[in-house]
Amino acid sequence: QVQAVQSGGGSVEVGGSLRLSCAVSGSTTVRTCMAWFRQSPGKEREVVARLDRDGTTYADFAKYRFTISRDNEKNILALEMNDLRPADTAMYYCAVGTNTGWIECRTAARYGYWGQGSQVTVSS
């Protein structure tokens, strides 16, 4: 069984920065897919960034502003967010795959374990 416990998030003004962390415990390997998703009210959950067979992949809106990282020693997945905009306001979720081998994990269906969510609010 895998557990993912999130911390971080909060409220910032436009242009500010926030860091999200996700402590992962349980049976994972260095090849297990991990990602950050977000969901705004009335919108579908969308991937922000992912780590999988294809390496590190960012959504277009996250490129050059967000950085996903993974510390395999401490089993922590992080998301550093800079130059935040009101459109970034959403609930953010870390996601952990169920795979043990290298696969691509583009969609939410690839992830079997989710963090509890962290609210990020950006005000103008």
Side-chain angles (χ1 to χ4, degrees), residues 5-10 18-22 36-39 81 88-94 115-121:
V5 179
Q6 295 180 221
S7 59
L18 285 173
R19 177 181 172 88
L20 303 178
S21 293
C22 179
W36 288 96
F37 285 75
R38 72 182 188 183
Q39 187 167 20
M81 302 181 290
D88 295 318
T89 296
M91 187 71 78
Y92 286 70
Y93 299 89
C94 63
Q116 78 276 20
S118 297
Q119 179 65 40
V120 171
T121 302

Side-chain angles (χ1 to χ4, degrees), residues 31-42:
R31 293 177 290 276
T32 301
C33 296
M34 293 192 180
W36 288 96
F37 285 75
R38 72 182 188 183
Q39 187 167 20
S40 303

Side-chain angles (χ1 to χ4, degrees), residues 96-119:
V96 182
T98 58
N99 60 300
T100 56
W102 286 116
I103 62 172
E104 63 82 15
C105 296
R106 298 182 182 183
T107 65
R110 290 291 201 181
Y111 300 89
Y113 307 99
W114 295 81
Q116 78 276 20
S118 297
Q119 179 65 40

Side-chain angles (χ1 to χ4, degrees), residues 47-121:
V47 64
V48 177
R50 59 184 170 93
L51 301 171
D52 63 6
R53 179 196 66 188
D54 298 334
T56 305
T57 305
Y58 293 94
D60 286 344
F61 63 80
K63 289 179 181 177
Y64 315 118
R65 298 190 300 128
F66 294 5
T67 302
I68 187 173
S69 62
R70 176 176 179 173
D71 185 330
N72 290 318
E73 292 288 330
K74 297 179 180 179
N75 291 324
I76 293 177
L77 180 71
L79 183 69
E80 190 76 34
M81 302 181 290
N82 299 308
D83 189 24
L84 284 162
R85 306 162 181 169
D88 295 318
T89 296
M91 187 71 78
Y92 286 70
Y93 299 89
C94 63
V96 182
T98 58
N99 60 300
T100 56
W102 286 116
I103 62 172
E104 63 82 15
C105 296
R106 298 182 182 183
T107 65
R110 290 291 201 181
Y111 300 89
Y113 307 99
W114 295 81
Q116 78 276 20
S118 297
Q119 179 65 40
V120 171
T121 302

